[in-house]
Structure formats: structure tokens, C-alpha cells
Amino acid sequence: MIELRSLTKKYGSFTAVDSIDLSVPDGQLFGFLGPNGAGKTTTLRMIAGILQPTAGSIHLAGIDLSADPLAAKAKLGFIPDRPFIYEKLTGAEFLRFVAGLYGQDGDKVEHRGRELMALFDLEEWADELVESYSHGMRQKLIISSAFIHRPDVIVVDEPMVGLDPKAARILKDLFREYVRRGHTIMMSTHTLEVAEALCDRIAIIQHGKIRAVGTIQDLRAEATGGGGLEEIFLRLTGERAARDAMEVLDA
Ligand code: ATP
């Protein structure tokens, strides 16, 4: 589970994340949506332990991240939006390396690595250097690396970017199956159809504050007027719609 209490991040005098409270229980796939610059990546990076919060607390699987960072991070798999991979490792070596960071090695890890690479059609590339991988192949490898140590909690920033339709479908199935087994996934995305189809609950963040949180039905009720997630999102965030583009082009 993920528990955020009064979580705040300031960059100088600018408040990027403004005292947010969120709770994502075990067995739930949680969508984190919001306009560009709303504070999604900042929040996810704080949960991953990469960014230090200015205030507030984060608990992962019941462990306080600031009090016991190593134990909390051992529970976590993180898929960042701009991942770093060592180019001079092969795919199989990279997965072994990540598992090693979590103190795991041996036959189990080898087996999991092979299974994950096969799932994403990477098995023929397992012994090739990452520098020869395409953007989508790197993305698949990074996703595999988040599952290699079987964490309780997975935090994902924009997972679908760069994936072909087959890989996107596999990823959706993998995420659903992982939460079905009692794990927790928190995912930011701009792909609203993915959020609508996949997530049990959704939070919409805007200007660093949680604007709405709940199931699609809850959000629909709050936005008043029904419609799909796109209309709900635009109504709740008050974002300008396409007709403004016409005004700009007519000007
Ligand atoms: P996007 O959908 O565009 O990826 P986001 O919701 O992930 O956006 P963040 O990257 O969390 O947004 O950024 C939130 C706010 O914090 C933005 O206004 C951004 O300019 C600001 N910000 C992010 N990182 C820094 C930084 N290192 N220094 C100063 N401001 C920052």
C-alpha cells in the first residue's frame, strides 16, 4: 500500500506539490492524472525516494520512507519517465544488475528475467548490448526490471509511451494480474482511455493539489454532466478545449 500524508515539495518559493493526502490500498491499480506541470512526476519521484519532500510523509507497505529508506525502497519498483540504463550491459545483465541492487540473485532471478524478456518479445535480444535497443525495447526492459524483484508496490511514470500496441496490451495484462495478486500500482498517464480501462481509482492533480479522487463513477458524479474520462478531466481541471485552437488559428 501507499500512504501519502500532507506531502509537499517546494522548488524555492514555488510549490510543485501542495500538501497532498492519498491512500492506495493493496490490490489496487491507481491512476494519477493531471495537466502538464501539475506535479505528477514530482510526486512519483518523492515516492520512489529520489526526491526529498519539503514536508509530509510517505509510507510504502507500512514502512515510513524517511525513517527507514532502505527497507521502504526494498518494497518498491519504479519505472521512471526518463529512465537511465547502462548502455554497455546486455538486457539480461541489466536485469541481473537490478535484482542484485535488491539483494536477489540465483536461479529464481534468472528464471524471472527470462520469463519477463520472453513476455515482451525480447528473448532474442537478451544477450545484446542495450545500446543496440530501440526506444520501445528499452522501455520494455525498464518495465521488466521493475518486476524482477517482485516488489509490493510499483510506481510508474507514463508507462505506455513508446510501446507498440502489442506491448501496451501485454503491459496492461501484467499490471492487472499484478494487482489481482494483492500488489499495489500507482501510474501516471496522459492516455485517458488507458486510465479509464485499467484503473480501479483515479486522482486528478492540478497546480500541485488533488482536484478529485475516486472511481470513474465518483469522478463523473463530481464533474456533473457524465461523459467519458476526457470530458470529466477537462471539466474538473477547467482546461481549454479544442475550440480555443480554432480561435487561435482564426486570429
Ligand atoms: P508533465 O505532465 O508535463 O510531465 P508533471 O505533472 O509530471 O508534468 P512535474 O514534472 O511534477 O509535472 O512538475 C511540477 C511543477 O514543478 C512544474 O511547474 C515544473 O516546472 C516544476 N518543477 C519540476 N522540477 C523542477 C525543478 N527541478 N526545479 C524547479 N521547478 C521544477
Side-chain angles (χ1 to χ4, degrees), residues 11-12 14-17 34-43 45 51 81-82 157-158 188 190 205:
Y11 295 108
F14 175 73
T15 305
V17 175
N36 291 134
K40 301 179 297 295
T41 296
T42 303
T43 303
R45 296 186 76 201
L51 261 184
D81 61 338
R82 276 168 287 172
D157 206 353
E158 278 291 346
S188 85
H190 289 298
I205 182 171

Side-chain angles (χ1 to χ4, degrees), residues 13-130:
S13 60
F14 175 73
T15 305
V17 175
D18 195 356
S19 195
I20 67 174
D21 293 296
L22 275 181
S23 192
V24 187
D26 294 341
Q28 202 166 87
L29 208 168
F30 190 83
F32 200 41
L33 313 185
N36 291 134
K40 301 179 297 295
T41 296
T42 303
T43 303
L44 298 184
R45 296 186 76 201
M46 285 192 284
I47 298 172
I50 292 167
L51 261 184
Q52 183 76 22
T54 308
S57 68
I58 299 165
H59 284 78
L60 300 176
I63 303 169
D64 185 334
L65 181 61
S66 69
D68 198 349
L70 282 183
K73 285 187 211 177
K75 303 283 182 191
L76 183 90
F78 180 46
I79 307 174
D81 61 338
R82 276 168 287 172
F84 174 81
I85 320 185
Y86 293 105
E87 303 271 327
K88 296 294 180 193
L89 294 181
T90 67
E93 285 169 345
F94 181 72
L95 293 184
R96 230 171 270 143
F97 166 74
V98 173
L101 293 177
Y102 291 94
Q104 296 188 17
D105 57 15
D107 290 347
K108 209 181 240 179
V109 164
E110 294 299 318
H111 178 68
R112 283 179 189 167
R114 275 196 303 278
E115 290 291 311
L116 283 161
M117 293 193 94
L119 181 69
F120 285 115
D121 289 332
L122 284 179
E123 69 265 63
E124 283 175 26
W125 292 82
D127 298 318
E128 301 291 333
L129 294 182
V130 168

Side-chain angles (χ1 to χ4, degrees), residues 5 15 21 27-28 30 61 65 83 95 97 113 130 177 181 188 191 202 205-206 210 212 229 240 242 244 247-248:
R5 290 285 160 257
T15 305
D21 293 296
Q28 202 166 87
F30 190 83
L65 181 61
L95 293 184
F97 166 74
V130 168
E177 179 59 22
R181 292 176 182 218
S188 85
T191 317
I202 288 169
I205 182 171
Q206 186 179 29
I210 300 295
L229 187 55
R240 289 162 153 241
D244 293 318
E247 286 162 17
V248 170

